[in-house]
């Protein structure tokens, strides 16, 4: 066997005699390694420094990695980046391999190839230069293989040339100089080294550092530059559709490309990608579904999970699946991207994966709290229902159940704490309702900005469609803001078609001010480049469970400090900005650092049904592997209940034939009528 002869020859090396590199032979051998299933090829031969350089060059041209160990006596070609030191190859440990280890299949193919190359060489002994590509094998299977191989090589070269030429274009050059100013750029080399050296890397990046737009792009550029473009496939997940699309568009334009060339996106029922696409932004849900069909993510070389700190249900499910997948895919690189909070938690979960911190960059964003806004705008809070004269603040607040922030505000002595503020402001603070958003106050704040502040779009964070549509009506009826020639008012809600969602990124026509009324979907990852003012109502709708009444509810709740920070961060991304917080500073100070993970907020029965509908296996064992597992006894009880009501059978499988109809009905019933699965199932029956 020729493969064995390579091994024998390699094993025969005594480390003193310097062998000559037969470039032709090694080109083919390394080409076969690249095409086969073997991950690496270990060669014990001394080719001297020049020989090593030639081999390193061959490996690089094949898009593989090369390293020399034991003072150049042990050479390794690999499909994955190689560390500087390998204990398994260290002669002093007596554990190094004496032979090149190849699978039978690779050995057979290498043998075939070498014998063919040898006979080719003999036949053309008089021809001094044989093109390496011409010398590829010619049996029908081998032709197919080599065509794929040649095609891939060709594509890698094409991608590299295209990248180089696009970089030279004037628009790309100005983008490049902008990119170089982002903090992520300074961390580029360190980041790429860390990705190469570690299977899992946790990035803790502050707002605006460039983690979303730059880090996946660095990997893409590096892979293409090193002629690994054809083989690289980078996926970057985003928690929401709008960020998947807008970030893909931004990265594409930074590269001077049309969306869908090397950078694309995929969301449910919509995608923009091509055979050239090497960096794909998709929602976490899309990736979860892909994983169900393709558990090993074959073909994916790098996976970046963005905004992991948000701890949505899909992100938490995803990392459980990925931790199981990593040992099966040692060549897969996983980068978890988080805001600064919680990076250690993720690192620990992935066996103390290294953490890299990238400082943020935003233009200065001034922050005004309710008291400052009231003082500035002279707005008087005096709602009919909550008139403080007839109903004291303490009395009203005492009736607010389960709201620790309301309790904190209840304890504030307004006249003492806000002694420096005007009497009108203090009276308004007395009248301010912790529970209900005063939409007239939002309207008043928008009007104040439009009358007194400079140019720039306004982004308003509200809790849901109900508030958005009521505010839209108010704005229509407002003397100033209702002028549609001067103000472009755009709603932004998760249920809107993406084509409408995308309008928020368009610049308003000259002399018009854009006002975006959004839910928390605009909170992270997106840049609306003309936003200068952010108005934050401080709340977002979240699923919670009323255990006493057994009701699942989607209610406005106070956001966390992390969310508040992200909201503020939507201003100041390309110019200085102002953030108007429509709640007192004491409430902001008392907000939790970050939100409770969705899997700990979601009613367990709903969680179990979601796990089943996503086909993620046995519920209890799946949830036990999560970052912060729910109480096992409660999980067991939830499964029992689902079996009792007939939603799951004895084998814990979803029952009815049309599982989805059933499941979505349950969800809809829960959402619309605040019913738990048992009541919903009863109605369905
Ligand atoms: N569409 C865009 N138009 C103009 N500038 C943009 C756009 N997208 C990104 N940028 C610029 O690139 C910077 C980095 O954006 P990126 O989305 O990568 O930040 P990030 O670190 O992920 O922050 P965050 O977590 O707050 O979203 C922004 O602050 C902004 O200056």
């Amino acid at each position: 066997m020729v493969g064995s002869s390579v091994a024998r020859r390699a094993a025969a090396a005594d480390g003193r005699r310097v062998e000559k590199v037969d470039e032709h032979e090694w080109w083919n051998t390394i080409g076969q390694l690249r095409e086969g299933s073997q991950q690496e090829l270990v060669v014990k031969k001394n080719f001297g420094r020049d020989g090593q350089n030639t081999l390193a060059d061959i490996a690089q041209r094949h898009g593989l990695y090369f390293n020399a160990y034991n003072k150049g006596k042990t050479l390794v070609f690999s499909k994955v980046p190689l560390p500087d030191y390998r204990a398994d190859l260290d002669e002093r440990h007596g554990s190094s391999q004496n032979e090149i280890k190849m699978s039978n299949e690779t050995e057979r193919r290498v043998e075939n190839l070498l014998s063919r190359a040898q006979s080719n060489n003999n036949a053309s002994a008089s021809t001094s230069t044989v093109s390496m590509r011409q010398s590829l094998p010619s049996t029908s299977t081998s032709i197919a293989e080599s065509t794929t191989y040649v095609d891939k090589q060709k594509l890698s070269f094409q991608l590299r040339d295209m990248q180089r030429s696009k970089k030279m274009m004037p628009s790309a050059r100005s983008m490049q100089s902008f990119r170089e100013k982002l903090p992520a750029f300074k961390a580029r080399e360190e980041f790429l080294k860390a990705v190469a050296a570690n299977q899992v890397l946790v990035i803790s990046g502050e707002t605006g550092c460039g983690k979303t737009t730059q880090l996946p792009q660095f990997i893409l550029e590096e892979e293409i530059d090193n002629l690994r473009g054809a083989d690289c496939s980078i996926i970057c997940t985003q928690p929401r559709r709008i960020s998947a699309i807008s970030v893909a568009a931004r990265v594409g334009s930074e590269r001077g490309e049309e969306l869908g060339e090397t950078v694309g996106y995929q969301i449910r029922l919509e995608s923009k990608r091509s055979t050239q696409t090497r960096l794909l932004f998709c929602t976490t849900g899309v990736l979860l579904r892909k994983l169900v069909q393709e558990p090993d993510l074959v073909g994916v070389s790098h996976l970046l999970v963005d905004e992991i700190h948000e701890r949505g249900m899909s992100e938490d499910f995803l990392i459980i699946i990925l931790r199981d997948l990593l040992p099966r895919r040692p060549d897969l690189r996983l980068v978890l991207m988080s805001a600064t909070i919680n990076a250690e938690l993720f690192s620990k979960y992935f066996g103390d994966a290294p953490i890299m911190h990238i400082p943020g960059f935003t233009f200065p964003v001034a922050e005004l709290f309710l008291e400052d806004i009231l003082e500035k705008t002279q707005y008087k809070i005096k709602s009919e229902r909550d008139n403080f004269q007839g109903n004291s603040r303490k009395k009203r607040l005492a009736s607010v159940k389960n709201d620790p922030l309301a309790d904190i505000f209840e304890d504030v002595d307004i006249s003492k704490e806000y002694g420096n503020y005007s009497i009108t402001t203090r009276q308004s603070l007395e009248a301010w309702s912790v529970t209900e958003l005063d939409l007239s106050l939002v309207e008043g704040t928008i009007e104040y900005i439009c009358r007194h502040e400079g140019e720039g779009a306004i982004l308003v964070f509200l809790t849901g469609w109900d508030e958005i549509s009521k505010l839209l009506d108010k704005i229509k009826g407002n003397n100033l803001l209702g002028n549609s020639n001067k103000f472009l008012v755009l709603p932004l809600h998760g249920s809107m078609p993406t084509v409408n969602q995308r309008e928020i990124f368009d610049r308003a026509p000259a002399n018009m001010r854009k006002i975006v009324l959004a839910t928390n979907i605009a909170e992270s990852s997106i840049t609306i480049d003309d936003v200068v003012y952010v108005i934050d109502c401080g709340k977002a709708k979240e699923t919670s469970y009323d255990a006493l009444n057994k009701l699942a509810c989607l209610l406005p709740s106070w956001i966390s400090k992390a969310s508040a920070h992200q909201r503020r961060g939507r201003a100041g991304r390309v110019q200085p900005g102002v953030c108007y917080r429509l709640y007192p500073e004491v409430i902001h100070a008392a907000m939790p650092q970050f939100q409770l993970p969705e899997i700990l907020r979601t009613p367990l029965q709903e969680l179990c049904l979601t796990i089943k509908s996503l086909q993620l296996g046995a519920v209890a064992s799946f949830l036990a592997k999560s970052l912060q597992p729910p109480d096992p006894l409660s999980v067991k009880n939830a499964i029992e209940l689902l079996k009792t009501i007939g939603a799951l059978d004895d084998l814990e499988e979803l029952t009815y034939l049309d599982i989805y109809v059933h499941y979505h009905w349950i969800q809809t019933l829960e959402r619309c009528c605040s019913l738990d699965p048992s009541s919903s199932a009863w109605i369905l029956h």
Side-chain angles (χ1 to χ4, degrees), residues 178 182 206-213 250 307 525 527 529 566 570 573-574:
F178 167 80
L182 292 173
E206 286 171 26
T207 300
C209 72
K211 69 181 158 48
T212 308
T213 53
R250 171 69 184 180
E307 311 294 355
S525 283
T527 300
D529 68 356
Q566 287 287 333
R570 296 313 105 190
R573 291 171 85 76
V574 284

Short mmCIF file of all heavy atoms in Angstrom, two decimals, residues 178 182 206-213 250 307 525 527 529 566 570 573-574, ligand 1:
data_model
loop_
_atom_site.label_atom_id
_atom_site.label_comp_id
_atom_site.label_asym_id
_atom_site.label_seq_id
_atom_site.Cartn_x
_atom_site.Cartn_y
_atom_site.Cartn_z
N PHE A 178 -14.06 53.92 8.49
CA PHE A 178 -15.03 54.00 9.59
C PHE A 178 -14.89 52.77 10.49
O PHE A 178 -14.83 52.87 11.71
CB PHE A 178 -16.46 54.09 9.04
CG PHE A 178 -17.51 53.86 10.10
CD1 PHE A 178 -17.85 54.89 10.97
CD2 PHE A 178 -18.10 52.61 10.26
CE1 PHE A 178 -18.80 54.67 11.98
CE2 PHE A 178 -19.03 52.39 11.27
CZ PHE A 178 -19.38 53.42 12.13
N LEU A 182 -13.86 51.60 15.04
CA LEU A 182 -14.66 50.88 16.05
C LEU A 182 -13.74 50.08 16.97
O LEU A 182 -12.72 49.53 16.52
CB LEU A 182 -15.65 49.93 15.37
CG LEU A 182 -16.79 50.59 14.58
CD1 LEU A 182 -17.60 49.53 13.82
CD2 LEU A 182 -17.71 51.38 15.50
N GLU A 206 -19.29 45.78 24.81
CA GLU A 206 -20.18 46.86 25.22
C GLU A 206 -20.88 47.45 24.01
O GLU A 206 -20.41 47.30 22.88
CB GLU A 206 -19.37 47.93 25.96
CG GLU A 206 -18.98 47.50 27.36
CD GLU A 206 -18.01 48.44 28.02
OE1 GLU A 206 -18.00 49.64 27.66
OE2 GLU A 206 -17.25 47.99 28.89
N THR A 207 -21.98 48.15 24.28
CA THR A 207 -22.80 48.73 23.21
C THR A 207 -21.96 49.52 22.20
O THR A 207 -21.15 50.35 22.59
CB THR A 207 -23.87 49.67 23.81
OG1 THR A 207 -24.66 48.90 24.66
CG2 THR A 207 -24.75 50.27 22.74
N GLY A 208 -22.18 49.21 20.95
CA GLY A 208 -21.55 49.98 19.88
C GLY A 208 -20.11 49.60 19.58
O GLY A 208 -19.45 50.23 18.77
N CYS A 209 -19.60 48.52 20.22
CA CYS A 209 -18.19 48.17 19.99
C CYS A 209 -18.01 47.56 18.59
O CYS A 209 -16.91 47.54 18.06
CB CYS A 209 -17.69 47.20 21.06
SG CYS A 209 -18.35 45.54 20.92
N GLY A 210 -19.09 47.07 18.02
CA GLY A 210 -19.00 46.49 16.68
C GLY A 210 -19.07 44.98 16.71
O GLY A 210 -18.74 44.32 15.73
N LYS A 211 -19.53 44.40 17.81
CA LYS A 211 -19.52 42.93 17.86
C LYS A 211 -20.44 42.31 16.80
O LYS A 211 -20.07 41.35 16.15
CB LYS A 211 -19.81 42.40 19.26
CG LYS A 211 -21.19 42.61 19.76
CD LYS A 211 -21.33 42.06 21.17
CE LYS A 211 -22.48 42.71 21.89
NZ LYS A 211 -23.75 42.79 21.17
N THR A 212 -21.61 42.90 16.61
CA THR A 212 -22.56 42.29 15.67
C THR A 212 -22.12 42.44 14.22
O THR A 212 -22.17 41.48 13.45
CB THR A 212 -23.95 42.93 15.86
OG1 THR A 212 -24.29 42.88 17.24
CG2 THR A 212 -25.01 42.23 15.05
N THR A 213 -21.69 43.64 13.86
CA THR A 213 -21.36 43.85 12.44
C THR A 213 -19.92 43.44 12.11
O THR A 213 -19.64 43.08 10.97
CB THR A 213 -21.56 45.33 12.05
OG1 THR A 213 -20.83 46.15 12.96
CG2 THR A 213 -23.02 45.71 12.06
N ARG A 250 -26.23 45.75 6.46
CA ARG A 250 -25.12 46.64 6.82
C ARG A 250 -23.78 45.98 6.48
O ARG A 250 -22.90 46.60 5.89
CB ARG A 250 -25.21 46.95 8.32
CG ARG A 250 -24.02 47.69 8.89
CD ARG A 250 -23.94 49.10 8.37
NE ARG A 250 -22.75 49.79 8.84
CZ ARG A 250 -22.44 51.03 8.52
NH1 ARG A 250 -23.23 51.72 7.72
NH2 ARG A 250 -21.35 51.59 8.98
N GLU A 307 -26.27 38.40 21.13
CA GLU A 307 -27.21 38.85 22.18
C GLU A 307 -27.62 37.69 23.09
O GLU A 307 -28.77 37.58 23.50
CB GLU A 307 -28.48 39.48 21.57
CG GLU A 307 -28.24 40.53 20.49
CD GLU A 307 -27.54 41.79 21.00
OE1 GLU A 307 -27.32 41.92 22.22
OE2 GLU A 307 -27.19 42.64 20.16
N SER A 525 -29.07 45.30 18.80
CA SER A 525 -28.49 44.91 17.51
C SER A 525 -28.79 45.85 16.35
O SER A 525 -28.09 45.82 15.36
CB SER A 525 -28.95 43.51 17.06
OG SER A 525 -28.25 42.56 17.78
N THR A 527 -29.25 49.47 14.25
CA THR A 527 -28.81 50.85 14.20
C THR A 527 -29.72 51.58 13.22
O THR A 527 -29.73 51.26 12.05
CB THR A 527 -27.36 50.94 13.70
OG1 THR A 527 -26.52 50.21 14.60
CG2 THR A 527 -26.88 52.38 13.62
N ASP A 529 -29.73 54.87 11.70
CA ASP A 529 -28.58 55.78 11.77
C ASP A 529 -28.93 57.25 11.97
O ASP A 529 -28.05 58.05 12.27
CB ASP A 529 -27.65 55.58 10.56
CG ASP A 529 -28.29 56.01 9.26
OD1 ASP A 529 -29.47 56.39 9.28
OD2 ASP A 529 -27.61 55.96 8.21
N GLN A 566 -29.47 49.19 26.72
CA GLN A 566 -29.55 48.92 25.27
C GLN A 566 -30.44 49.95 24.58
O GLN A 566 -30.13 50.40 23.49
CB GLN A 566 -30.14 47.53 25.03
CG GLN A 566 -29.21 46.38 25.34
CD GLN A 566 -28.11 46.23 24.31
OE1 GLN A 566 -28.26 46.60 23.16
NE2 GLN A 566 -26.97 45.71 24.73
N ARG A 570 -29.44 52.98 21.49
CA ARG A 570 -29.91 53.16 20.11
C ARG A 570 -29.70 54.59 19.65
O ARG A 570 -29.75 54.88 18.46
CB ARG A 570 -31.41 52.80 19.96
CG ARG A 570 -31.78 51.36 20.22
CD ARG A 570 -30.89 50.39 19.54
NE ARG A 570 -29.98 49.77 20.51
CZ ARG A 570 -28.94 49.00 20.18
NH1 ARG A 570 -28.67 48.75 18.93
NH2 ARG A 570 -28.17 48.50 21.13
N ARG A 573 -25.27 56.37 18.24
CA ARG A 573 -24.46 55.40 17.49
C ARG A 573 -23.67 56.06 16.37
O ARG A 573 -22.57 55.62 16.05
CB ARG A 573 -25.34 54.26 16.96
CG ARG A 573 -25.83 53.40 18.11
CD ARG A 573 -26.86 52.42 17.68
NE ARG A 573 -26.29 51.20 17.15
CZ ARG A 573 -25.77 50.23 17.88
NH1 ARG A 573 -25.71 50.36 19.19
NH2 ARG A 573 -25.32 49.14 17.32
N VAL A 574 -24.24 57.12 15.80
CA VAL A 574 -23.46 57.81 14.78
C VAL A 574 -23.30 59.29 15.08
O VAL A 574 -22.59 60.01 14.39
CB VAL A 574 -24.07 57.62 13.36
CG1 VAL A 574 -23.77 56.26 12.81
CG2 VAL A 574 -25.57 57.83 13.36
N1 LIG B 1 -26.90 50.59 9.47
C1 LIG B 1 -25.94 51.35 9.98
N2 LIG B 1 -25.76 52.63 9.58
C2 LIG B 1 -24.79 53.40 10.10
N3 LIG B 1 -23.92 52.97 11.02
C3 LIG B 1 -24.04 51.72 11.46
C4 LIG B 1 -25.05 50.83 10.98
N4 LIG B 1 -24.91 49.65 11.60
C5 LIG B 1 -23.87 49.78 12.44
N5 LIG B 1 -23.35 51.02 12.36
C6 LIG B 1 -22.23 51.57 13.12
O1 LIG B 1 -21.45 50.49 13.62
C7 LIG B 1 -21.42 50.55 15.04
C8 LIG B 1 -21.36 49.14 15.56
O2 LIG B 1 -22.57 48.46 15.28
P1 LIG B 1 -22.85 47.00 15.85
O3 LIG B 1 -24.27 46.68 15.54
O4 LIG B 1 -21.82 46.07 15.36
O5 LIG B 1 -22.65 47.25 17.39
P2 LIG B 1 -22.73 46.24 18.62
O6 LIG B 1 -21.40 46.20 19.26
O7 LIG B 1 -23.31 44.95 18.20
O8 LIG B 1 -23.71 47.02 19.59
P3 LIG B 1 -25.12 46.61 20.21
O9 LIG B 1 -24.94 45.40 21.02
O10 LIG B 1 -25.45 47.82 21.01
O11 LIG B 1 -26.08 46.41 19.06
C9 LIG B 1 -22.66 51.35 15.44
O12 LIG B 1 -22.51 51.97 16.69
C10 LIG B 1 -22.74 52.36 14.32
O13 LIG B 1 -21.86 53.43 14.56
#
